[in-house]
Amino acid sequence: MSKTISGIRGMNDVLPADSPRWLHFEAVVRDWLAAYGYQQLRTPIVEATALFVRGVGEHTDIVEKEMYAFEDSLNGEQLVLRPEGTAGCVRACIEHGLLYNQTQRLWYTGPMFRHERPQKGRYRQFHQVGVEAFGFAGPEVDAELIVMLADLWQRLGLTGLSLELNSLGDAAERAAHRAELIAYLEQHVDILDEDGKRRLHTNPLRVLDTKNPAMQAMAEHAPKLSDFLGAESHTHFERVKALLDDASIAYKLNNRLVRGLDYYNRTVFEWTTTELGAQATVAAGGRYDGLVEQLGGKPCPGVGFGIGIERLLLLTEAQSVSIPANAPDVYLINDGEAAGRAAFKTANALRAAGLKVVLHAGGGSFKSQFKKADASGARFAVVIGESEAEVGTANLKRLTGDGAGEQITLPQAELAARITATA
Ligand code: ATP
Ligand code: MG
């Protein structure tokens, strides 16, 4: 026998035992997004490398060290497996003229790829639900997105998530702050670790985002962006907070929250949990009014967020959220050639009546078929043996719930009505 080939490190299979959790999540998410009027956008997984260098930022973790970038061996194009969804969403909107004189509320979902060290809640292929709104300059949509997430936690049965909030101001305010921050960091250069030194001049805000304990006090006393906000940014932020207060959403202001990506301005936020160790952020987002222009479109405000699906599903497990079972209604037991044909026909008739039916295939004793019926979680076993097949009847046995164990014999044609009548 030849050697087996394994999957790729950090890229997971979702097995049948876990897929009900995913399916349930996806169903909840669709209803949730429909409730707010968001429409789905589907873009390819592969994009041009340049899109992320320009759209995420050259000096970000993603672009510096996490991208699956490769050259198309057939035509030499520089490509990447997308590390995030916003840049591709903006690209598609520009390309198809979706932003011209109109607003858009959009969402997408799918795999993202980042070459990180795999651990619980951090993978090399992971999945996001992304939501982006374009053409809205005011604070309402910032608040809408945050409130939507609080609603999603409730729809999923999750509790205990906390919201952190900050405002990054506009480009000029950030530039003024940046200059002072760089001067401050230069004074403390001996405290900076390697990442800190590297980012001092490229992405100084990120230096403050450090997890290095030796740098905490220095970061704590650094010039605060909030002190640089002008009147408009200030008003915008105050109105976001007022709308959250009206919706009774609690938040913690965190003036060191800067987000990993370069393009944010004004509102930024993260929803975190204490139940997943270091992988604490389950959803994160903010406003990025400069990104559309940065990617070659006409200026157009944008605001959005990404949800890490694996982390959310881990949280539903940690909180023992019950997932609706995906069991069949009927397991159809049969034995013999004529019975097999009758069972095949009956299974299709029951499905046409809206029931979920597993047809036993491959023979075996009634006893072993009944074991499989029990294991399937089906509410009913329908048994068609040779004698039932001859006269057009079936044996209907209740397997679960009230009346489990009871059985009756009835015409095959009456099965659907009988089963449907029993909730
Ligand atoms: P982190 O600080 O945890 O690396 P990030 O700031 O890089 O997160 P974003 O780019 O904002 O993450 O992506 C949005 C969400 O996607 C994150 O909040 C997280 O829930 C999820 N996420 C990001 N990277 C991964 C990963 N490698 N594996 C699983 N989920 C991830
Ligand atoms: Mg990251």
Side-chain angles (χ1 to χ4, degrees):
M1 234 165 51
S2 53
K3 208 164 166 267
T4 57
I5 296 172
S6 310
I8 305 303
R9 183 166 135 82
M11 305 202 180
N12 301 317
D13 301 306
V14 176
L15 301 181
D18 299 322
S19 59
R21 199 174 286 279
W22 285 77
L23 288 166
H24 172 65
F25 173 80
E26 286 158 5
V28 170
V29 159
R30 280 172 193 225
D31 285 350
W32 165 66
L33 289 159
Y36 292 81
Y38 284 72
Q39 289 183 299
Q40 197 188 35
L41 173 74
R42 302 185 185 216
T43 63
I45 284 167
V46 176
E47 297 273 5
T49 307
L51 177 67
F52 300 101
V53 176
R54 244 215 268 175
V56 175
E58 211 177 325
H59 302 292
T60 55
D61 282 350
I62 289 182
V63 172
E64 277 179 349
K65 49 190 186 198
E66 296 173 0
M67 282 212 294
Y68 279 90
F70 59 99
E71 183 177 294
D72 183 328
S73 61
L74 299 177
N75 64 10
E77 279 185 288
Q78 298 300 318
L79 303 175
V80 267
L81 302 182
R82 64 179 181 200
E84 58 93 51
T86 305
C89 178
V90 170
R91 176 203 52 74
C93 284
I94 296 172
E95 199 165 332
H96 301 285
L98 302 186
L99 305 180
Y100 185 68
N101 265 350
Q102 52 193 321
T103 58
Q104 295 286 351
R105 283 179 159 98
L106 302 173
W107 72 279
Y108 50 81
T109 186
M112 307 293 164
F113 301 83
R114 298 185 194 179
H115 205 283
E116 304 194 69
R117 190 169 69 77
Q119 51 200 295
K120 186 179 171 195
R122 189 176 297 283
Y123 311 103
R124 291 181 174 175
Q125 174 176 312
F126 64 101
H127 298 76
Q128 287 187 342
V129 170
V131 174
E132 321 282 356
F134 296 100
F136 303 96
E140 308 83 3
V141 178
D142 306 35
E144 173 175 288
L145 293 174
I146 295 169
V147 169
M148 273 172 81
L149 285 164
D151 180 14
L152 179 61
W153 313 148
Q154 202 163 17
R155 288 172 186 242
L156 289 170
L158 292 172
T159 55
L161 287 143
S162 358
L163 171 64
E164 294 193 12
L165 198 60
N166 191 20
S167 174
L168 300 180
D170 66 21
E173 292 151 14
R174 286 172 74 173
H177 170 253
R178 185 188 152 102
E180 277 206 27
L181 180 58
I182 289 177
Y184 174 86
L185 293 173
E186 278 170 344
Q187 281 166 22
H188 295 86
V189 73
D190 43 322
I191 303 175
L192 302 185
D193 58 16
E194 204 185 307
D195 269 347
K197 287 200 180 82
R198 195 164 44 83
R199 289 182 175 137
L200 200 167
H201 293 279
T202 57
N203 201 345
L205 263 184
R206 285 284 277 162
V207 180
L208 303 184
D209 201 22
T210 178
K211 293 184 174 83
N212 183 347
M215 290 165 62
Q216 293 306 313
M218 180 280 303
E220 204 68 56
H221 295 103
K224 290 183 178 33
L225 188 46
S226 51
D227 295 332
F228 289 75
L229 297 191
E232 269 185 58
S233 292
H234 184 75
T235 308
H236 185 101
F237 196 37
E238 288 307 308
R239 286 191 51 202
V240 172
K241 288 190 279 184
L243 289 167
L244 295 180
D245 293 338
D246 290 348
S248 304
I249 309 276
Y251 51 81
K252 208 179 105 203
L253 296 178
N254 174 359
N255 59 34
R256 284 166 59 191
L257 182 66
V258 297
R259 311 279 311 104
L261 318 183
D262 263 357
Y263 49 61
Y264 287 100
N265 69 308
R266 295 210 168 151
T267 318
V268 289
F269 59 86
E270 289 195 359
W271 281 95
T272 60
T273 170
T274 53
E275 294 173 64
L276 297 179
Q279 276 53 254
T281 307
V282 295
R287 182 164 279 281
Y288 47 84
D289 294 335
L291 182 63
V292 175
E293 199 178 4
Q294 170 92 7
L295 289 176
K298 293 223 171 66
C300 176
V303 50
F305 61 73
I307 305 174
I309 300 182
E310 281 85 353
R311 290 188 195 174
L312 259 196
L313 296 188
L314 282 171
L315 195 56
T316 64
E317 270 180 70
Q319 298 191 359
S320 305
V321 170
S322 71
I323 302 299
N326 206 9
D329 299 303
V330 172
Y331 193 94
L332 217 166
I333 292 169
N334 61 97
D335 184 40
E337 196 194 322
R341 291 177 64 182
F344 199 91
K345 247 174 83 179
T346 301
N348 284 333
L350 295 180
R351 293 182 191 119
L355 294 166
K356 294 185 269 181
V357 181
V358 174
L359 174 64
H360 181 83
S365 68
F366 280 130
K367 191 172 164 212
S368 74
Q369 293 194 39
F370 263 111
K371 267 199 183 154
K372 291 202 164 126
D374 282 326
S376 76
R379 289 191 293 135
F380 290 96
V382 167
V383 185
I384 303 181
E386 285 300 291
S387 52
E388 286 85 6
E390 223 164 88
V391 294
T393 61
N395 201 284
L396 176 66
K397 183 177 179 190
R398 178 105 208 201
L399 297 178
T400 63
D402 279 352
E406 283 170 14
Q407 44 183 313
I408 53 166
T409 300
L410 72 173
Q412 287 159 16
E414 290 175 20
L415 279 167
R418 177 64 70 113
I419 295 167
T420 315
T422 329

